[in-house]
Amino acid sequence: MIKKLVASLAALAMIFGLAACAGSGKTEVKVGWIPSVNFIAWISAVQALEESENIDIELVESSSSSAALVALQQGAVDMTTTGYNVFADGLAQSDMPLSYISGISTSGAFFIARDDAEIEDWSDLEGKVLGGSRGSAEYLHMNNSMAANGVVLGEDAEYLNFQNGTDVMLALRNGDIDATVSYEPLISETIAAGGVDVVPALQEDLYSASFEVSSGLLASDSFVAENPEAVDEILSVYTGKVDELQQDPQPAVDIYLSYAAGDRDVISAAADRVTLTYELPTDEMLAIGTALTESGQHSEDIGPKLATHLDYSHLEAATGKSASELGASE
Protein backbone atom coordinates (compact mmCIF):
# COMPACT_ATOMS: atom_id res chain seq x y z
CA MET A 1 0.00 0.00 0.00
CA ILE A 2 2.80 2.40 0.93
CA LYS A 3 4.69 1.55 -2.29
CA LYS A 4 1.58 2.20 -4.36
CA LEU A 5 1.02 5.54 -2.61
CA VAL A 6 4.62 6.61 -3.21
CA ALA A 7 4.37 5.64 -6.87
CA SER A 8 1.12 7.55 -7.24
CA LEU A 9 2.58 10.67 -5.65
CA ALA A 10 5.62 10.43 -7.91
CA ALA A 11 3.41 10.13 -10.98
CA LEU A 12 1.35 13.15 -9.89
CA ALA A 13 4.51 15.17 -9.29
CA MET A 14 5.70 14.34 -12.78
CA ILE A 15 2.36 15.28 -14.33
CA PHE A 16 2.19 18.58 -12.48
CA GLY A 17 5.84 19.28 -13.31
CA LEU A 18 5.22 18.75 -17.00
CA ALA A 19 2.07 20.82 -16.87
CA ALA A 20 3.90 23.66 -15.15
CA CYS A 21 6.62 23.56 -17.78
CA ALA A 22 4.10 23.52 -20.60
CA GLY A 23 2.13 26.28 -18.94
CA SER A 24 5.17 28.53 -18.75
CA GLY A 25 5.05 29.01 -22.51
CA LYS A 26 8.84 28.67 -22.71
CA THR A 27 10.67 26.73 -25.39
CA GLU A 28 12.74 23.93 -23.89
CA VAL A 29 16.26 23.85 -25.31
CA LYS A 30 18.95 21.33 -24.40
CA VAL A 31 22.36 22.73 -25.26
CA GLY A 32 25.69 20.95 -25.12
CA TRP A 33 29.21 22.06 -24.43
CA ILE A 34 32.69 20.68 -23.81
CA PRO A 35 34.69 22.17 -20.89
CA SER A 36 37.27 24.07 -22.95
CA VAL A 37 38.25 27.72 -22.83
CA ASN A 38 37.54 27.88 -26.57
CA PHE A 39 33.86 27.85 -25.55
CA ILE A 40 34.09 30.68 -23.03
CA ALA A 41 31.70 32.91 -25.00
CA TRP A 42 29.22 30.07 -25.43
CA ILE A 43 29.08 29.25 -21.73
CA SER A 44 28.71 32.97 -20.96
CA ALA A 45 25.73 33.09 -23.34
CA VAL A 46 24.20 30.00 -21.74
CA GLN A 47 24.41 31.63 -18.32
CA ALA A 48 22.73 34.78 -19.64
CA LEU A 49 20.00 32.71 -21.32
CA GLU A 50 19.12 31.14 -17.98
CA GLU A 51 17.33 34.44 -17.29
CA SER A 52 15.39 34.33 -20.56
CA GLU A 53 11.63 34.82 -20.41
CA ASN A 54 11.17 32.74 -23.56
CA ILE A 55 13.61 29.86 -23.24
CA ASP A 56 14.00 27.11 -20.65
CA ILE A 57 17.63 26.15 -21.21
CA GLU A 58 19.33 22.97 -19.99
CA LEU A 59 23.10 22.52 -20.22
CA VAL A 60 24.51 19.07 -21.05
CA GLU A 61 28.24 18.47 -20.75
CA SER A 62 30.21 16.19 -23.09
CA SER A 63 33.78 14.97 -22.75
CA SER A 64 34.74 15.50 -26.40
CA SER A 65 33.45 16.63 -29.78
CA SER A 66 32.84 13.01 -30.70
CA ALA A 67 30.68 12.49 -27.60
CA ALA A 68 28.88 15.79 -28.27
CA LEU A 69 28.07 14.69 -31.82
CA VAL A 70 26.64 11.41 -30.57
CA ALA A 71 24.51 13.29 -28.03
CA LEU A 72 23.14 15.49 -30.81
CA GLN A 73 22.41 12.52 -33.07
CA GLN A 74 20.58 10.74 -30.26
CA GLY A 75 18.49 13.77 -29.35
CA ALA A 76 20.08 14.27 -25.94
CA VAL A 77 20.78 17.87 -26.99
CA ASP A 78 19.32 20.22 -29.61
CA MET A 79 22.58 22.00 -30.36
CA THR A 80 26.15 21.69 -29.16
CA THR A 81 29.72 22.87 -29.60
CA THR A 82 31.51 20.48 -31.94
CA GLY A 83 34.81 20.43 -33.81
CA TYR A 84 34.41 20.78 -37.57
CA ASN A 85 36.79 17.91 -38.35
CA VAL A 86 34.79 15.54 -36.13
CA PHE A 87 31.57 16.32 -37.98
CA ALA A 88 33.45 15.96 -41.27
CA ASP A 89 34.51 12.46 -40.20
CA GLY A 90 30.88 11.63 -39.49
CA LEU A 91 29.71 12.98 -42.84
CA ALA A 92 32.24 10.74 -44.56
CA GLN A 93 30.28 7.78 -43.19
CA SER A 94 26.73 9.04 -43.77
CA ASP A 95 24.79 12.28 -44.16
CA MET A 96 23.17 13.78 -41.07
CA PRO A 97 20.27 16.25 -40.61
CA LEU A 98 22.51 18.67 -38.71
CA SER A 99 23.94 22.09 -39.59
CA TYR A 100 26.34 24.60 -38.13
CA ILE A 101 24.39 27.73 -37.23
CA SER A 102 27.36 29.70 -35.89
CA GLY A 103 31.09 29.58 -35.54
CA ILE A 104 32.65 29.26 -32.06
CA SER A 105 36.44 29.44 -32.19
CA THR A 106 39.35 29.59 -34.60
CA SER A 107 43.15 29.26 -34.48
CA GLY A 108 42.81 27.16 -31.34
CA ALA A 109 45.87 24.92 -31.74
CA PHE A 110 49.44 25.62 -30.61
CA PHE A 111 52.79 24.00 -31.41
CA ILE A 112 54.51 23.53 -28.07
CA ALA A 113 57.88 22.00 -27.19
CA ARG A 114 60.14 21.30 -24.25
CA ASP A 115 62.80 23.96 -23.68
CA ASP A 116 65.54 21.31 -23.42
CA ALA A 117 64.59 19.91 -26.85
CA GLU A 118 66.01 23.11 -28.39
CA ILE A 119 63.41 23.32 -31.16
CA GLU A 120 63.37 26.67 -32.93
CA ASP A 121 62.64 25.72 -36.56
CA TRP A 122 61.09 22.90 -38.57
CA SER A 123 64.44 21.24 -39.23
CA ASP A 124 64.98 20.94 -35.47
CA LEU A 125 62.13 18.42 -35.36
CA GLU A 126 64.21 15.82 -37.20
CA GLY A 127 65.21 13.02 -34.85
CA LYS A 128 62.84 14.28 -32.14
CA VAL A 129 59.89 12.43 -30.59
CA LEU A 130 56.45 13.95 -31.10
CA GLY A 131 53.14 12.86 -29.63
CA GLY A 132 49.49 13.29 -30.46
CA SER A 133 46.10 11.69 -30.76
CA ARG A 134 45.72 10.39 -34.30
CA GLY A 135 42.56 11.67 -35.98
CA SER A 136 42.29 14.84 -33.89
CA ALA A 137 42.47 18.32 -35.39
CA GLU A 138 45.73 18.86 -33.51
CA TYR A 139 47.24 15.77 -35.14
CA LEU A 140 46.17 17.06 -38.57
CA HIS A 141 47.80 20.45 -37.95
CA MET A 142 51.02 18.83 -36.74
CA ASN A 143 51.26 16.16 -39.43
CA ASN A 144 50.36 18.37 -42.38
CA SER A 145 52.42 21.41 -41.36
CA MET A 146 55.49 19.25 -40.78
CA ALA A 147 55.11 17.57 -44.17
CA ALA A 148 54.70 20.96 -45.86
CA ASN A 149 57.99 22.03 -44.27
CA GLY A 150 59.95 18.93 -45.26
CA VAL A 151 59.68 16.84 -42.07
CA VAL A 152 57.70 13.59 -42.31
CA LEU A 153 56.07 12.54 -39.06
CA GLY A 154 56.84 8.89 -38.33
CA GLU A 155 59.93 8.92 -40.56
CA ASP A 156 62.06 11.99 -39.96
CA ALA A 157 60.63 12.34 -36.46
CA GLU A 158 59.32 9.56 -34.21
CA TYR A 159 55.61 9.60 -33.40
CA LEU A 160 53.89 8.27 -30.28
CA ASN A 161 50.10 8.01 -30.23
CA PHE A 162 48.01 8.70 -27.12
CA GLN A 163 44.37 8.26 -26.20
CA ASN A 164 43.65 11.95 -25.61
CA GLY A 165 45.10 15.43 -25.30
CA THR A 166 45.58 15.20 -21.53
CA ASP A 167 47.79 12.11 -21.90
CA VAL A 168 49.80 13.85 -24.62
CA MET A 169 50.57 16.83 -22.42
CA LEU A 170 51.48 14.60 -19.48
CA ALA A 171 53.99 12.84 -21.73
CA LEU A 172 55.43 16.23 -22.73
CA ARG A 173 55.84 17.30 -19.13
CA ASN A 174 57.46 13.96 -18.23
CA GLY A 175 59.93 14.18 -21.10
CA ASP A 176 58.54 11.16 -22.98
CA ILE A 177 58.03 13.38 -26.04
CA ASP A 178 59.77 16.55 -27.18
CA ALA A 179 56.91 18.43 -28.82
CA THR A 180 53.24 18.32 -29.76
CA VAL A 181 50.29 20.40 -30.94
CA SER A 182 47.57 20.97 -28.34
CA TYR A 183 44.78 23.32 -27.26
CA GLU A 184 43.60 25.39 -24.30
CA PRO A 185 43.50 25.12 -21.36
CA LEU A 186 46.04 22.27 -21.67
CA ILE A 187 48.57 24.65 -23.25
CA SER A 188 48.43 27.19 -20.41
CA GLU A 189 48.42 24.45 -17.75
CA THR A 190 51.59 22.92 -19.19
CA ILE A 191 53.35 26.25 -19.68
CA ALA A 192 52.55 27.19 -16.07
CA ALA A 193 54.23 23.96 -14.89
CA GLY A 194 57.47 25.17 -16.52
CA GLY A 195 59.99 23.87 -19.02
CA VAL A 196 57.83 24.17 -22.12
CA ASP A 197 56.57 26.92 -24.40
CA VAL A 198 54.97 27.66 -27.76
CA VAL A 199 57.51 27.69 -30.61
CA PRO A 200 56.97 30.96 -32.55
CA ALA A 201 58.38 29.86 -35.93
CA LEU A 202 56.34 26.65 -35.94
CA GLN A 203 53.22 28.42 -34.72
CA GLU A 204 53.43 30.91 -37.56
CA ASP A 205 53.12 28.17 -40.20
CA LEU A 206 50.96 25.73 -38.24
CA TYR A 207 47.84 26.17 -40.38
CA SER A 208 49.61 26.53 -43.72
CA ALA A 209 48.66 23.01 -44.84
CA SER A 210 45.42 22.50 -42.91
CA PHE A 211 42.75 24.93 -41.64
CA GLU A 212 42.35 27.64 -39.02
CA VAL A 213 38.77 27.12 -37.81
CA SER A 214 38.34 24.97 -34.72
CA SER A 215 34.70 24.50 -33.79
CA GLY A 216 31.17 25.71 -34.32
CA LEU A 217 27.66 25.46 -32.94
CA LEU A 218 26.05 22.40 -34.54
CA ALA A 219 22.26 22.07 -34.35
CA SER A 220 19.48 19.68 -35.26
CA ASP A 221 17.86 20.82 -38.50
CA SER A 222 14.42 19.84 -37.22
CA PHE A 223 14.85 21.78 -33.97
CA VAL A 224 15.95 24.89 -35.87
CA ALA A 225 13.01 24.62 -38.29
CA GLU A 226 10.47 24.12 -35.50
CA ASN A 227 11.86 26.78 -33.12
CA PRO A 228 13.16 29.71 -35.19
CA GLU A 229 12.44 32.35 -32.54
CA ALA A 230 14.36 30.45 -29.88
CA VAL A 231 17.30 29.98 -32.22
CA ASP A 232 17.28 33.70 -33.06
CA GLU A 233 17.35 34.62 -29.37
CA ILE A 234 20.14 32.16 -28.59
CA LEU A 235 22.31 33.46 -31.42
CA SER A 236 21.53 37.07 -30.60
CA VAL A 237 22.81 36.59 -27.05
CA TYR A 238 25.74 34.45 -28.16
CA THR A 239 27.02 36.78 -30.88
CA GLY A 240 26.72 39.68 -28.45
CA LYS A 241 28.95 37.80 -26.02
CA VAL A 242 31.50 37.11 -28.75
CA ASP A 243 31.63 40.78 -29.71
CA GLU A 244 32.04 41.72 -26.06
CA LEU A 245 34.67 39.12 -25.16
CA GLN A 246 36.74 39.63 -28.28
CA GLN A 247 37.71 42.96 -26.75
CA ASP A 248 38.40 41.53 -23.30
CA PRO A 249 37.78 37.87 -22.40
CA GLN A 250 38.67 38.25 -18.73
CA PRO A 251 35.12 39.03 -17.48
CA ALA A 252 34.11 35.53 -18.61
CA VAL A 253 36.81 33.71 -16.63
CA ASP A 254 34.77 33.48 -13.43
CA ILE A 255 31.71 32.43 -15.44
CA TYR A 256 33.72 29.62 -17.03
CA LEU A 257 35.00 28.49 -13.61
CA SER A 258 31.44 28.29 -12.29
CA TYR A 259 30.81 25.52 -14.84
CA ALA A 260 34.23 23.84 -15.08
CA ALA A 261 37.19 23.12 -12.84
CA GLY A 262 40.49 24.93 -13.27
CA ASP A 263 43.10 27.23 -11.78
CA ARG A 264 42.05 30.84 -12.21
CA ASP A 265 45.48 32.06 -13.33
CA VAL A 266 45.71 29.27 -15.90
CA ILE A 267 42.21 29.90 -17.25
CA SER A 268 42.92 33.63 -17.38
CA ALA A 269 46.05 33.02 -19.46
CA ALA A 270 44.17 30.58 -21.69
CA ALA A 271 41.34 33.07 -22.26
CA ASP A 272 43.83 35.62 -23.60
CA ARG A 273 45.17 33.05 -26.07
CA VAL A 274 41.91 31.81 -27.63
CA THR A 275 40.34 33.45 -30.69
CA LEU A 276 36.55 33.75 -30.55
CA THR A 277 34.35 34.05 -33.62
CA TYR A 278 30.84 33.43 -34.91
CA GLU A 279 31.74 33.48 -38.59
CA LEU A 280 31.28 30.38 -40.77
CA PRO A 281 33.91 30.62 -43.55
CA THR A 282 33.06 28.33 -46.46
CA ASP A 283 36.65 28.28 -47.71
CA GLU A 284 37.79 26.86 -44.37
CA MET A 285 35.31 23.98 -44.67
CA LEU A 286 36.82 23.18 -48.05
CA ALA A 287 40.28 23.36 -46.48
CA ILE A 288 39.22 20.80 -43.86
CA GLY A 289 38.27 18.38 -46.62
CA THR A 290 41.60 18.90 -48.36
CA ALA A 291 43.55 18.42 -45.11
CA LEU A 292 41.71 15.20 -44.27
CA THR A 293 42.40 13.82 -47.74
CA GLU A 294 46.05 14.83 -47.82
CA SER A 295 46.65 13.28 -44.40
CA GLY A 296 45.22 9.97 -45.61
CA GLN A 297 42.28 10.01 -43.18
CA HIS A 298 39.72 10.28 -46.00
CA SER A 299 39.85 8.77 -49.46
CA GLU A 300 37.43 11.35 -50.88
CA ASP A 301 37.25 15.12 -50.33
CA ILE A 302 34.44 15.78 -47.82
CA GLY A 303 34.90 19.56 -47.92
CA PRO A 304 32.14 20.42 -50.44
CA LYS A 305 29.65 18.26 -48.52
CA LEU A 306 30.66 19.86 -45.21
CA ALA A 307 30.07 23.30 -46.72
CA THR A 308 26.44 22.40 -47.46
CA HIS A 309 25.86 21.98 -43.71
CA LEU A 310 26.28 25.69 -42.96
CA ASP A 311 23.07 27.59 -42.13
CA TYR A 312 23.61 31.35 -42.15
CA SER A 313 19.95 32.43 -41.89
CA HIS A 314 19.67 32.81 -38.12
CA LEU A 315 23.21 34.17 -37.81
CA GLU A 316 22.28 36.86 -40.33
CA ALA A 317 19.23 37.75 -38.24
CA ALA A 318 21.25 37.89 -35.02
CA THR A 319 24.10 40.03 -36.36
CA GLY A 320 22.51 42.09 -39.12
CA LYS A 321 25.31 40.92 -41.41
CA SER A 322 24.93 39.19 -44.77
CA ALA A 323 25.95 35.58 -45.35
CA SER A 324 28.93 36.77 -47.40
CA GLU A 325 30.04 39.00 -44.53
CA LEU A 326 29.81 35.94 -42.26
CA GLY A 327 32.03 33.84 -44.49
CA ALA A 328 29.76 32.38 -47.15
CA SER A 329 31.21 32.03 -50.62
CA GLU A 330 30.05 30.41 -53.83
Side-chain angles (χ1 to χ4, degrees), residues 302-315:
I302 197 67
K305 186 175 183 180
L306 177 60
T308 66
H309 286 262
L310 304 180
D311 179 358
Y312 294 92
S313 59
H314 295 278
L315 195 56

Side-chain angles (χ1 to χ4, degrees), residues 72-73 87 91 95-99 219-223 309:
L72 186 57
Q73 288 177 290
F87 185 51
L91 287 178
D95 205 358
M96 290 176 271
L98 311 172
S99 296
S220 159
D221 289 343
S222 60
F223 178 84
H309 286 262

Side-chain angles (χ1 to χ4, degrees), residues 1-12:
M1 180 66 181
I2 293 176
K3 289 183 178 179
K4 287 183 180 180
L5 179 59
V6 171
S8 297
L9 289 173
L12 285 171

Side-chain angles (χ1 to χ4, degrees), residues 100-103 231-232 235-236 239 278-280 310-328:
Y100 282 103
I101 59 174
S102 175
V231 175
D232 284 344
L235 289 187
S236 179
T239 55
Y278 46 72
E279 295 180 356
L280 289 169
L310 304 180
D311 179 358
Y312 294 92
S313 59
H314 295 278
L315 195 56
E316 288 178 294
T319 62
K321 297 180 179 181
S322 67
S324 61
E325 290 176 306
L326 294 165

Side-chain angles (χ1 to χ4, degrees), residues 69 212 214 234:
L69 179 57
E212 289 192 36
S214 303
I234 290 169

